[in-house]
Amino acid sequence: MTRETVVPRVAPTLEAVAAAAGVSRSTVSRVVNGSSQVSPEVLAAVTSAIERLNYVPNRAARSLANRQTMAIALVVPEDTQRFFGDPFFAEVMLGITSVLEDSDYVLNLQLAKPSDPSEKAMRYLLGGNVDGAIVVSHHSGDDFFTTLDATIPVVFGGRPFQPEHHPSSFVDVDNAAGAALATRHLIGLGRTKIATISGPADMQAALDRHHGWSDTLREAGLDASLAATGDFTMHGGAQAMRELLEREPELDAVFAASDLMASGAVSVLRRAGRRIPEDVAVVGFDDSPAALSGEIRLTTVHQPSRIMGAEMARMLLARLRGETVETSRLMPTHLVARDSA
Amino acid sequence: MTRETVVPRVAPTLEAVAAAAGVSRSTVSRVVNGSSQVSPEVLAAVTSAIERLNYVPNRAARSLANRQTMAIALVVPEDTQRFFGDPFFAEVMLGITSVLEDSDYVLNLQLAKPSDPSEKAMRYLLGGNVDGAIVVSHHSGDDFFTTLDATIPVVFGGRPFQPEHHPSSFVDVDNAAGAALATRHLIGLGRTKIATISGPADMQAALDRHHGWSDTLREAGLDASLAATGDFTMHGGAQAMRELLEREPELDAVFAASDLMASGAVSVLRRAGRRIPEDVAVVGFDDSPAALSGEIRLTTVHQPSRIMGAEMARMLLARLRGETVETSRLMPTHLVARDSA
DNA sequence: CTGAAAGCGCTTACAG
DNA sequence: CTGAAAGCGCTTACAG
């Protein structure tokens, strides 16, 4: 259209640096990649040329040549709302980025639809765009992610559904044990009508926590039928609480499988005139910031979310380096007694 | 090390598809890229070969050849905590992803340190990894981002600092006008000692909102000296409120430059025995979910965050297409009167 | 409508 | 320690 007088500031290439330093491309490539096979003088000349030209290697060319992208994907099969709404994800991401910072890898966040990764997301993950992936919040419909491991290494945050089908590597806590901790605490408080608000049945962690609750109750000879399902959100927790209250107005305790759901339950209980913890004791799970931001300081099962994120990253990086690493890492939980139970 | 008996499931290339379909690579490339210059029969043959081999184009090779990455970066110069803590960012990201979904672009999230993007982030942005960038939450120290536009198109969320230096394209609201709306509302309520909690002075939006407040006050002949600075977080808002209360215990209104800061202020005011809105009227800014999740339903200045995100993406995509687009887009604000003022 | 060929900017054996 | 050359998997004029 218009006459362009602007010099098309093309990014300098290896070639240009080589010319400027008076050496071959191979040599420049060596210094860029930190090879020790370079004489001090040449090193200096090349380094200064790089500085002078402000050279940055072209990632596409590099990837094409050595088949590494130096990128890893963080896949969260949840909608944006839930991703941002639950502090758990922030903590995990914080842990991941903290270890990636010290590496040459960059993180690509991929929010996918639960149990139905988009065509686009699948192509992205399979199209050689990342060297590995971390999948947090796996749902049972997501077969794609468990089989993805055949193409690139993937580490799950939380034991994925059907690991027997495709043995996946993951970092998790012993969810059943954590739930048992919470339930025993409630029993120790003398409660007898102990309900639970479970997470979605298509998530392994939700199932495990549910079983931890029911097994503990049965061992104690208590009824384990008072269960409702939430979706790990505050709203879902409130909804489930209403249902439980209707079914059993006399309930005196509830174990919610997440702090957010516990918060929702607390609101409903109070609005229904129950004092917490006097009338109804509530225990959450996560010990995320959400445990402290609600109407009452939540008693909850602590899981080291940030550290778990860091472990996921470390595990993936180790596999990327070709090291033999354990397929799973289980982190400890503990009960944090505060005001709600 | 060990003898590998596993077939190294190499991803099929264009070449392989061409062979399978009995055509040239050029032809396969054409159908992959949706060229119309292909006969129906050949189209069918190639399509079926692609299906059969499960072919996914190698992105690095494609990028190298046509100099497009089909990726754009969302850069947020804030730490992970604040990024996840403020619903504003979630809304913007939601808007961005909604328009990107219908395109072939993927989004790469880059959290950078305020006023000091890491070496790594800079290299990433300059290294041909993305075709363009959206920068939300720009601080005055970030010269890198304003100059980045010389290399790849960047659209700012919120007018960047020093746009005169490097005319940047951005989408924003008229922050001063929004603040004036809030302030006039407070004046209309008969308040006379109207304070403000501003955002950080290194952000243009914070400055603009502050001026909207002070100009309106001066026009009304009221004192405009009661100002404290927060950092856009709840904690920062609380801190600033304490300071204001100490300086002027008689204050009867406060305009906070964000809902999160308004929430922090509300807590402090109540703890100090003030009734809201009777004793002190509070107006926030954003109308994000945070306006409804606190102790009181906040009266606030609505800005269409999600739509703004969508506009940023649309604007960037248009520039990527080589279209001539306006350099800035200003969205409207309006006051939402609820319970706090 | 289709194919042969050059080129995108790197890395990596292979010689020397 | 250094360089020439092939190759990574695509796209894109250029012919035909």
Side-chain angles (χ1 to χ4, degrees):
Chain A
M1 297 273 123
T2 58
R3 250 168 283 130
E4 281 289 6
T5 51
V6 183
V7 181
R9 308 210 309 97
V10 174
T13 66
L14 242 204
E15 184 90 55
V17 176
V23 298
S24 74
R25 285 147 62 203
S26 316
T27 299
V28 178
S29 178
R30 287 191 191 96
V31 350
V32 168
N33 292 298
S35 162
S36 55
Q37 307 287 73
V38 182
S39 71
E41 307 81 58
V42 172
L43 210 195
V46 174
T47 303
S48 105
I50 287 176
E51 286 275 300
R52 199 143 22 88
L53 299 180
N54 211 281
Y55 171 71
V56 176
N58 176 303
R59 182 178 286 235
R62 191 188 278 219
S63 289
L64 185 57
N66 71 5
R67 291 137 168 303
Q68 282 189 237
T69 64
M70 297 315 271
I72 84 169
L74 169 57
V75 184
V76 183
E78 300 286 350
D79 60 57
T80 316
Q81 300 283 27
R82 197 166 115 56
F83 177 69
F84 279 96
D86 198 331
F88 169 75
F89 295 114
E91 290 291 321
V92 169
M93 188 156 162
L94 219 44
I96 294 173
T97 54
S98 74
V99 353
L100 253 35
E101 257 167 24
D102 299 325
S103 78
D104 286 324
Y105 286 89
V106 296
L107 219 220
N108 285 172
L109 177 65
Q110 291 285 114
L111 261 32
K113 277 185 276 302
S115 65
D116 175 31
S118 65
E119 180 70 16
K120 208 173 140 181
M122 292 173 52
R123 294 177 71 84
Y124 185 79
L125 262 8
L126 291 172
N129 300 291
V130 294
D131 295 337
I134 294 176
V135 179
V136 178
S137 199
H138 181 254
H139 296 255
S140 62
D142 294 342
D143 289 338
F144 172 69
F145 295 117
T146 40
T147 56
L148 175 62
D149 196 78
T151 308
I152 54 174
V154 1
V155 170
F156 287 86
R159 178 158 64 99
F161 229 92
Q162 299 179 307
E164 42 280 357
H165 201 195
H166 274 275
S168 316
S169 64
F170 61 87
V171 2
D172 203 350
V173 291
D174 187 334
N175 287 291
L181 233 44
T183 310
R184 273 198 293 273
H185 178 74
L186 260 9
I187 294 174
L189 256 28
R191 308 297 164 128
T192 55
K193 291 177 189 309
I194 304 175
T196 192
I197 298 178
S198 306
D202 64 351
M203 296 188 67
Q204 192 61 54
L207 260 37
D208 292 347
R209 289 173 199 176
H210 182 96
H211 288 139
W213 165 84
S214 61
D215 289 354
T216 306
L217 247 31
R218 279 195 208 97
E219 277 164 23
L222 294 170
D223 173 47
S225 66
L226 216 49
T229 301
D231 57 359
F232 278 143
T233 70
M234 211 151 101
H235 182 76
Q239 195 84 10
M241 194 65 245
R242 271 182 223 108
E243 182 190 328
L244 289 169
L245 230 31
E246 190 158 315
R247 277 165 55 191
E248 179 51 271
E250 308 285 277
L251 61 81
D252 56 13
V254 25
F255 161 59
S258 83
D259 287 340
L260 241 28
M261 292 202 295
S263 298
V266 163
S267 303
V268 168
L269 284 167
R270 286 204 162 160
R271 219 151 294 155
R274 305 301 198 282
R275 288 168 308 163
I276 296 173
E278 296 82 353
D279 299 328
V280 180
V282 177
V283 179
F285 200 107
D286 280 347
D287 193 21
S288 73
L292 295 174
S293 66
E295 308 177 16
I296 185 172
R297 297 170 63 246
L298 286 176
T299 291
T300 186
V301 178
H302 176 88
Q303 68 171 331
S305 312
R306 194 179 307 196
I307 294 174
M308 290 167 76
E311 288 303 307
M312 296 171 206
R314 266 194 273 277
M315 198 180 272
L316 185 59
L317 256 30
R319 288 184 56 188
L320 254 17
R321 265 185 249 110
E323 299 172 10
T324 299
V325 295
E326 65 274 50
T327 51
S328 72
R329 223 111 113 171
L330 239 43
M331 312 297 291
T333 59
H334 64 263
L335 191 85
V336 180
R338 285 196 275 251
D339 303 339
S340 67
Chain B
M1 299 272 123
T2 60
R3 249 170 283 132
E4 282 288 6
T5 51
V6 183
V7 181
R9 307 209 311 96
V10 174
T13 66
L14 241 205
E15 183 90 55
V17 176
V23 299
S24 74
R25 285 148 61 204
S26 317
T27 298
V28 177
S29 178
R30 287 191 191 94
V31 350
V32 167
N33 292 297
S35 161
S36 56
Q37 307 289 73
V38 183
S39 71
E41 307 80 60
V42 172
L43 210 197
V46 173
T47 303
S48 106
I50 287 175
E51 286 276 296
R52 199 144 21 89
L53 300 181
N54 213 279
Y55 170 71
V56 176
N58 177 302
R59 181 177 287 234
R62 191 189 277 220
S63 290
L64 184 57
N66 70 7
R67 293 138 166 302
Q68 283 189 236
T69 63
M70 297 315 271
I72 85 170
L74 169 57
V75 183
V76 183
E78 300 287 349
D79 61 56
T80 316
Q81 300 283 28
R82 197 166 115 57
F83 177 70
F84 279 96
D86 197 331
F88 170 74
F89 295 115
E91 290 291 321
V92 170
M93 188 158 164
L94 220 42
I96 294 173
T97 54
S98 74
V99 352
L100 253 36
E101 257 168 24
D102 300 325
S103 77
D104 286 325
Y105 286 88
V106 296
L107 219 219
N108 285 172
L109 178 64
Q110 291 285 115
L111 262 32
K113 277 184 276 301
S115 64
D116 174 32
S118 65
E119 179 71 16
K120 208 173 140 181
M122 292 172 51
R123 293 176 71 84
Y124 186 79
L125 263 7
L126 291 172
N129 300 291
V130 294
D131 295 336
I134 293 177
V135 178
V136 179
S137 200
H138 181 254
H139 296 255
S140 62
D142 295 343
D143 289 337
F144 172 69
F145 295 117
T146 40
T147 56
L148 176 62
D149 196 78
T151 308
I152 55 174
V154 2
V155 170
F156 286 86
R159 179 158 63 100
F161 230 92
Q162 298 178 306
E164 42 281 357
H165 200 194
H166 273 276
S168 317
S169 63
F170 61 88
V171 0
D172 202 350
V173 290
D174 186 332
N175 287 291
L181 233 43
T183 310
R184 274 198 291 273
H185 178 74
L186 260 10
I187 294 174
L189 257 26
R191 309 297 163 129
T192 54
K193 292 180 190 304
I194 304 176
T196 192
I197 298 178
S198 306
D202 65 351
M203 296 190 66
Q204 191 61 56
L207 260 36
D208 291 346
R209 289 172 200 176
H210 182 95
H211 288 140
W213 165 83
S214 60
D215 289 353
T216 305
L217 247 31
R218 278 195 209 96
E219 277 165 24
L222 294 171
D223 173 48
S225 67
L226 217 49
T229 300
D231 57 359
F232 278 143
T233 70
M234 210 151 103
H235 183 74
Q239 196 84 11
M241 194 65 245
R242 272 183 223 105
E243 182 190 330
L244 289 170
L245 231 30
E246 191 159 316
R247 277 167 54 192
E248 180 50 271
E250 308 285 276
L251 62 81
D252 56 14
V254 25
F255 161 59
S258 84
D259 288 340
L260 241 31
M261 292 201 296
S263 298
V266 163
S267 303
V268 169
L269 285 168
R270 286 203 164 161
R271 219 151 294 156
R274 306 299 198 282
R275 289 168 309 163
I276 297 172
E278 295 82 352
D279 299 329
V280 181
V282 177
V283 178
F285 200 109
D286 280 348
D287 192 21
S288 74
L292 294 174
S293 66
E295 307 178 15
I296 184 172
R297 296 169 64 246
L298 285 177
T299 290
T300 186
V301 178
H302 176 88
Q303 68 170 330
S305 313
R306 193 179 308 196
I307 294 174
M308 290 167 77
E311 288 304 306
M312 296 170 206
R314 265 193 274 275
M315 197 180 272
L316 185 59
L317 256 29
R319 287 183 58 188
L320 254 18
R321 267 185 248 108
E323 298 173 12
T324 299
V325 295
E326 64 273 50
T327 50
S328 72
R329 223 111 113 172
L330 237 44
M331 312 298 290
T333 59
H334 64 264
L335 190 84
V336 180
R338 285 198 274 250
D339 304 339
S340 67

